[in-house]
Amino acid sequence: QVQLVESGGGLVQPGGSLRLSCAASTTIFRIATMAWYRQAPGKQRELVAAITSGGSTDYANSVKGRSTISRDNAKNTVYLQMNNLAPEDTAVYYCRMQTANLLGGLNISWGQGTQVTVSS
């Protein structure tokens, strides 16, 4: 079973920066599409950013231009650098791994989440 372990969350002041990390327990990581999602209290979980095995990236409009997703296949780790953070970025951030299976479906794994709180 794949394990995804997030780290790097915490309390940051508005305008500050954080880098989240997600380490995967499998080398299948290098063929997976990795993504960061977030869920604020009372809201649905939403996509923040995604990166394919080939390095193509996609961002939610709300973070575009101030966030960067990247991956290090040698370390089986995906990162999310977030800058100019605002209170509305406060949420639990989850790492997600997606791979294709032999049946033509998708295998999805989630991390346990890391809390990001933006407050003065």
Side-chain angles (χ1 to χ4, degrees):
Q1 185 173 354
V2 174
Q3 288 189 330
L4 302 173
V5 180
E6 300 104 331
S7 60
L11 175 64
V12 62
Q13 291 187 341
S17 298
L18 277 178
R19 189 175 82 153
L20 305 181
S21 300
C22 171
S25 63
T26 173
T27 56
I28 295 175
F29 173 90
R30 60 196 62 203
I31 64 170
T33 292
M34 301 299 299
W36 287 96
Y37 283 70
R38 67 185 181 186
Q39 187 166 20
K43 294 188 177 181
Q44 289 188 333
R45 192 173 296 190
E46 62 176 2
L47 174 68
V48 177
I51 184 167
T52 68
S53 58
S56 297
T57 58
D58 190 26
Y59 296 91
N61 287 334
S62 58
V63 304
K64 196 173 294 184
R66 59 188 185 93
S67 296
T68 302
I69 188 170
S70 60
R71 63 192 298 159
D72 185 339
N73 288 341
K75 296 182 178 179
N76 294 336
T77 300
V78 62
Y79 305 98
L80 181 67
Q81 175 70 43
M82 297 187 294
N83 302 319
N84 194 23
L85 285 161
E88 50 265 36
D89 294 313
T90 295
V92 178
Y93 284 70
Y94 296 91
C95 177
R96 178 182 185 266
M97 171 185 282
Q98 173 182 308
T99 57
N101 61 38
L102 296 178
L103 299 177
L106 297 175
N107 292 330
I108 305 294
S109 298
W110 292 92
Q112 81 288 351
T114 185
Q115 177 70 47
V116 172
T117 302
V118 184
S119 175
S120 55

